[in-house]
Amino acid sequence: MHADNNTTVNPEPEAVARQAIPADEIENLARQIGEKLGEKTGKPMRQITQMIEICGPAFVEKILADTEAAEAAGGILTHDKKRRRTKGGVFFFLAKGEMDPDSLARVFPNFGKHGDGSIMPPGIDWAERLSHMEALREAPGRINNLTVNLIGRPGALHIEGSSVMTVIEQQDVKAPPYPKGVPPFDTVEDVTRYYVFMGLRHWRKVEKPLENEDDMLVIEGSAIYDEQLGGITVLSTGVSTKVLESQKRQQGKKSAGQAVKGPTGGKSGGLARMITEPPDLTGLPEESADKLRQLFSAAEKLRQKIDSTEDKGQNSGLAMTRRLLEQTEKQIATLVKQYNL
């Protein structure tokens, strides 16, 4: 890496740096730099510590001096030129510009890349999201309905009357490949607690299956932030397990095709949803036959997407995918009934 005066600044190898500087001194130096930058906890402090360990204290102190100079000169604007970076943002911006590729990849593994590995266009800096959101908070939108899909293992239980309570923690969250425009972030190591409330009747259905430690609890419900508990409260509307859900899908596939016609040969209302393969389309108008083929193909892709999302333990977009599948299956049912297939 090169400093502004064209002299080479070589970061100390990690092993040498750790031998030369005791861990408590690294921690103290990181804390001092963090205080000067206005950073005290979380990912910024971990990154400052890593920079000291990998690049050495001399490099980090130089970047801090350059930061002070840049701030005294009026600061550095963000990519969109709409506002001035925070002091911590200036520090990390300058550090990224002078670190060698290997050190950069170790301290900022997502720098310059989106979740799918493509080069990320100028956009939101995850570390600077707070100031944007604080401004947007002055003109918020409104939620009509919010649901969550929580998959995991339950903790200890408290059963009282017809209610069941448990606490489930989310740790070491890693950024999935979000769509372009959504900023990537490094692993989030802070704990988020979910305070789950279930009906006893729902719990009794999953209690036995969850004796299998490889099975996972699946909860759908409403989510609210509970300030007194300091976490997210989930009010369950549906409770199942991964194994039970898989069994339902398998049963649905076995029933596919058998539900197209009723016992008298007529169409059985509401059963077309279970059809997973197109029936015989001979004799249908070509436009309608093509439409059905497209709908069946779309439905199968949506089912695969749901299965893949659930298998990965994710819930981002799951509710929307299920709604799309339901709408697609309704269109199939309408056409199947129309042509008495």
Side-chain angles (χ1 to χ4, degrees):
M1 68 189 65
H2 299 281
D4 293 337
N5 60 6
N6 295 323
T7 59
T8 300
V9 180
N10 295 316
E12 301 174 43
E14 185 177 3
V16 174
R18 287 186 174 179
Q19 289 177 4
I21 309 175
D24 58 342
E25 292 186 18
I26 292 177
E27 184 178 347
N28 288 335
L29 179 57
R31 188 183 305 110
Q32 293 172 16
I33 292 176
E35 289 176 353
K36 293 178 180 179
L37 297 175
E39 306 286 357
K40 296 180 180 180
T41 60
K43 186 173 73 171
M45 288 304 300
R46 291 194 296 272
Q47 290 172 332
I48 293 171
T49 301
Q50 285 180 304
M51 288 172 61
I52 297 172
E53 293 176 334
I54 296 172
C55 302
F59 171 79
V60 178
E61 289 174 345
K62 177 192 178 302
I63 298 298
L64 178 61
D66 291 345
T67 300
E68 299 285 4
E71 286 288 278
I76 298 177
L77 297 178
T78 55
H79 287 298
D80 58 13
K81 309 298 182 184
K82 292 184 178 180
R83 66 177 186 83
R84 179 173 167 175
R85 294 176 187 268
T86 64
K87 190 173 183 179
V90 172
F91 175 84
F92 289 117
F93 175 78
L94 295 176
K96 291 172 184 177
E98 295 202 25
M99 294 173 72
D100 65 73
D102 179 64
S103 300
L104 186 64
R106 294 164 71 184
V107 180
F108 305 100
N110 287 328
F111 174 70
K113 291 186 177 181
H114 194 60
D116 59 3
S118 60
I119 299 300
M120 185 178 178
I124 298 172
D125 186 330
W126 178 256
E128 299 182 359
R129 69 196 186 283
L130 297 180
S131 59
H132 293 299
M133 286 300 185
E134 286 172 356
L136 294 174
R137 209 157 51 193
E138 299 300 319
R142 177 180 177 182
I143 292 176
N144 290 333
N145 184 43
L146 172 65
T147 59
V148 294
N149 186 267
L150 188 154
I151 301 175
R153 293 287 301 179
L157 300 173
H158 175 77
I159 300 176
E160 185 172 331
S162 61
S163 299
V164 179
M165 292 174 274
T166 188
V167 179
I168 300 177
E169 292 183 345
Q170 186 178 31
Q171 298 175 319
D172 299 330
V173 182
K174 294 184 179 179
Y178 287 120
K180 292 185 186 302
V182 179
F185 60 90
D186 295 332
T187 299
V188 176
E189 297 177 356
D190 295 334
V191 174
T192 301
R193 292 184 175 86
Y194 293 80
Y195 300 91
V196 178
F197 293 80
M198 295 175 279
L200 181 60
R201 180 173 59 86
H202 282 167
W203 170 252
R204 292 304 186 203
K205 291 193 304 182
V206 300
E207 186 176 14
K208 185 68 175 178
L210 286 173
E211 291 179 1
N212 173 8
E213 294 186 357
D214 293 329
D215 201 356
M216 291 284 179
L217 180 65
V218 179
I219 294 175
E220 277 196 47
S222 300
I224 58 173
Y225 179 74
D226 191 320
E227 187 174 357
Q228 290 180 309
L229 288 174
I232 300 171
T233 291
V234 177
L235 307 172
S236 306
T237 56
V239 179
S240 185
T241 75
K242 294 282 287 184
V243 171
L244 290 177
E245 292 295 297
S246 177
Q247 290 173 350
K248 287 181 183 178
R249 288 194 295 270
Q250 293 300 321
Q251 184 60 40
K253 291 178 182 179
K254 289 179 182 179
S255 302
Q258 300 176 4
V260 180
K261 295 182 183 294
T264 61
K267 174 70 185 60
S268 296
L271 294 176
R273 287 190 50 163
M274 295 188 292
I275 305 173
T276 58
E277 295 183 2
D280 184 6
L281 303 180
T282 304
L284 260 67
E286 189 59 32
E287 182 178 347
S288 298
D290 285 343
K291 180 66 173 178
L292 268 171
R293 293 189 191 99
Q294 293 172 9
L295 288 171
F296 276 107
S297 176
E300 181 57 28
K301 290 178 180 178
L302 289 169
R303 292 188 191 100
Q304 292 174 358
K305 184 176 180 180
I306 290 171
D307 289 346
S308 175
T309 302
E310 291 179 340
D311 289 340
K312 292 177 182 177
Q314 300 174 354
N315 58 24
S316 178
L318 190 58
M320 176 61 73
T321 306
R322 285 174 173 163
R323 284 196 292 272
L324 290 173
L325 176 58
E326 183 178 356
Q327 292 170 5
T328 304
E329 289 173 329
K330 285 181 179 178
Q331 293 181 63
I332 291 173
T334 299
L335 289 173
V336 166
K337 183 176 182 179
Q338 179 181 345
Y339 292 103
N340 195 30
L341 298 177

